[in-house]
Amino acid sequence: MLFALQEKNTGLFQKLVNSKINLILFPKYNLEYLKLNGYILEKNSEMIEEQFKVLNQYVLSKEQRKDLLLKKLTYYTTTKSEKAMETLKMISDFKDTDFLSKAQEIYAKLNS
Protein backbone atom coordinates (compact mmCIF):
# COMPACT_ATOMS: atom_id res chain seq x y z
CA MET A 1 0.00 0.00 0.00
CA LEU A 2 2.84 2.36 0.84
CA PHE A 3 4.40 1.80 -2.57
CA ALA A 4 1.12 2.57 -4.30
CA LEU A 5 0.79 5.83 -2.36
CA GLN A 6 4.40 6.82 -3.02
CA GLU A 7 3.83 6.23 -6.72
CA LYS A 8 0.50 8.08 -6.50
CA ASN A 9 -1.17 5.03 -7.99
CA THR A 10 -4.51 5.59 -6.30
CA GLY A 11 -6.29 2.84 -8.22
CA LEU A 12 -3.84 0.22 -6.96
CA PHE A 13 -3.93 1.78 -3.50
CA GLN A 14 -7.73 1.52 -3.24
CA LYS A 15 -7.60 -2.05 -4.55
CA LEU A 16 -5.03 -3.02 -1.91
CA VAL A 17 -6.95 -1.31 0.90
CA ASN A 18 -10.04 -3.31 -0.04
CA SER A 19 -8.21 -6.63 -0.38
CA LYS A 20 -9.47 -9.54 1.72
CA ILE A 21 -6.16 -9.92 3.56
CA ASN A 22 -6.19 -6.29 4.68
CA LEU A 23 -9.81 -6.57 5.76
CA ILE A 24 -8.69 -9.41 8.02
CA LEU A 25 -5.44 -7.83 9.26
CA PHE A 26 -6.46 -4.23 9.94
CA PRO A 27 -9.27 -2.64 11.93
CA LYS A 28 -12.04 -1.34 9.66
CA TYR A 29 -11.59 2.24 10.89
CA ASN A 30 -7.91 2.21 9.90
CA LEU A 31 -8.77 1.03 6.40
CA GLU A 32 -11.44 3.72 6.06
CA TYR A 33 -8.89 6.31 7.19
CA LEU A 34 -6.45 5.02 4.57
CA LYS A 35 -9.17 5.37 1.94
CA LEU A 36 -9.63 8.98 3.02
CA ASN A 37 -5.93 9.61 2.47
CA GLY A 38 -6.19 8.08 -0.99
CA TYR A 39 -9.12 10.32 -1.89
CA ILE A 40 -7.22 13.35 -0.62
CA LEU A 41 -4.29 12.36 -2.82
CA GLU A 42 -6.71 12.06 -5.77
CA LYS A 43 -8.32 15.40 -4.83
CA ASN A 44 -11.68 13.63 -5.08
CA SER A 45 -13.79 16.07 -3.05
CA GLU A 46 -16.99 14.04 -3.34
CA MET A 47 -15.39 10.90 -1.94
CA ILE A 48 -13.50 12.87 0.73
CA GLU A 49 -16.80 14.19 2.05
CA GLU A 50 -18.26 10.69 1.95
CA GLN A 51 -15.28 9.30 3.89
CA PHE A 52 -15.61 12.00 6.53
CA LYS A 53 -19.22 10.86 7.00
CA VAL A 54 -18.18 7.20 7.17
CA LEU A 55 -15.44 7.92 9.71
CA ASN A 56 -17.76 10.03 11.86
CA GLN A 57 -20.03 7.00 12.34
CA TYR A 58 -17.36 5.11 14.29
CA VAL A 59 -17.04 5.19 18.04
CA LEU A 60 -13.64 6.82 18.35
CA SER A 61 -11.19 7.35 21.13
CA LYS A 62 -10.50 10.94 22.12
CA GLU A 63 -7.18 10.84 20.26
CA GLN A 64 -8.76 9.39 17.12
CA ARG A 65 -11.46 12.08 17.21
CA LYS A 66 -8.79 14.79 17.56
CA ASP A 67 -6.79 13.36 14.68
CA LEU A 68 -9.86 13.23 12.44
CA LEU A 69 -10.80 16.81 13.32
CA LEU A 70 -7.29 18.02 12.46
CA LYS A 71 -7.48 16.11 9.16
CA LYS A 72 -10.81 17.83 8.41
CA LEU A 73 -9.48 21.23 9.43
CA THR A 74 -6.42 20.85 7.21
CA TYR A 75 -8.50 19.68 4.25
CA TYR A 76 -11.19 22.35 4.60
CA THR A 77 -8.65 25.12 5.14
CA THR A 78 -6.57 24.17 2.12
CA THR A 79 -9.69 23.98 -0.04
CA LYS A 80 -10.94 27.33 1.32
CA SER A 81 -14.16 25.72 2.51
CA GLU A 82 -16.51 27.40 4.97
CA LYS A 83 -16.46 24.09 6.82
CA ALA A 84 -13.04 25.02 8.21
CA MET A 85 -14.66 27.40 10.67
CA GLU A 86 -17.26 24.79 11.62
CA THR A 87 -14.44 22.35 12.29
CA LEU A 88 -12.61 24.92 14.42
CA LYS A 89 -15.81 25.31 16.45
CA MET A 90 -15.96 21.53 16.98
CA ILE A 91 -12.34 21.64 18.12
CA SER A 92 -13.05 24.46 20.57
CA ASP A 93 -15.95 22.41 21.99
CA PHE A 94 -13.34 19.83 23.02
CA LYS A 95 -12.31 22.16 25.89
CA ASP A 96 -8.63 21.30 25.33
CA THR A 97 -6.58 24.49 25.09
CA ASP A 98 -3.46 22.79 23.72
CA PHE A 99 -5.49 21.08 21.01
CA LEU A 100 -7.28 24.32 20.15
CA SER A 101 -3.98 26.22 19.98
CA LYS A 102 -2.55 23.62 17.62
CA ALA A 103 -5.66 23.81 15.42
CA GLN A 104 -5.58 27.61 15.33
CA GLU A 105 -1.90 27.49 14.38
CA ILE A 106 -2.64 25.09 11.51
CA TYR A 107 -5.55 27.26 10.36
CA ALA A 108 -3.44 30.44 10.46
CA LYS A 109 -0.49 28.84 8.68
CA LEU A 110 -2.62 27.41 5.89
CA ASN A 111 -4.49 30.71 5.44
CA SER A 112 -1.39 32.87 5.11
Side-chain angles (χ1 to χ4, degrees):
M1 286 188 292
L2 181 61
F3 174 77
L5 271 182
Q6 288 172 335
E7 295 297 312
K8 296 186 179 180
N9 186 339
T10 54
L12 176 60
F13 176 76
Q14 294 295 347
K15 183 177 178 182
L16 291 171
V17 167
N18 291 314
S19 70
K20 286 183 183 181
I21 189 73
N22 284 328
L23 292 172
I24 293 167
L25 293 175
F26 296 103
K28 184 82 170 138
Y29 174 81
N30 293 18
L31 293 174
E32 295 297 339
Y33 196 89
L34 285 171
K35 288 179 190 179
L36 172 63
N37 288 326
Y39 296 137
I40 289 171
L41 186 63
E42 289 175 347
K43 297 183 174 138
N44 185 336
S45 59
E46 185 177 313
M47 290 308 299
I48 292 167
E49 289 297 330
E50 186 61 33
Q51 275 310 105
F52 281 144
K53 289 176 188 172
V54 167
L55 291 166
N56 278 328
Q57 294 176 3
Y58 283 85
V59 175
L60 303 176
S61 71
K62 187 175 183 179
E63 291 307 310
Q64 286 174 315
R65 176 72 52 206
K66 286 179 174 181
D67 182 62
L68 184 57
L69 284 170
L70 286 179
K71 178 72 85 174
K72 286 175 137 183
L73 179 65
T74 301
Y75 172 72
Y76 290 140
T77 303
T78 56
T79 59
K80 308 293 187 217
S81 171
E82 294 174 6
K83 292 181 180 180
M85 290 306 294
E86 293 171 26
T87 305
L88 265 179
K89 171 72 171 97
M90 285 189 249
I91 290 169
S92 70
D93 291 345
F94 243 87
K95 307 290 187 232
D96 180 332
T97 55
D98 291 337
F99 181 47
L100 180 58
S101 294
K102 181 178 182 178
Q104 289 170 331
E105 185 179 310
I106 290 169
Y107 181 79
K109 186 174 186 177
L110 292 174
N111 266 325
S112 59

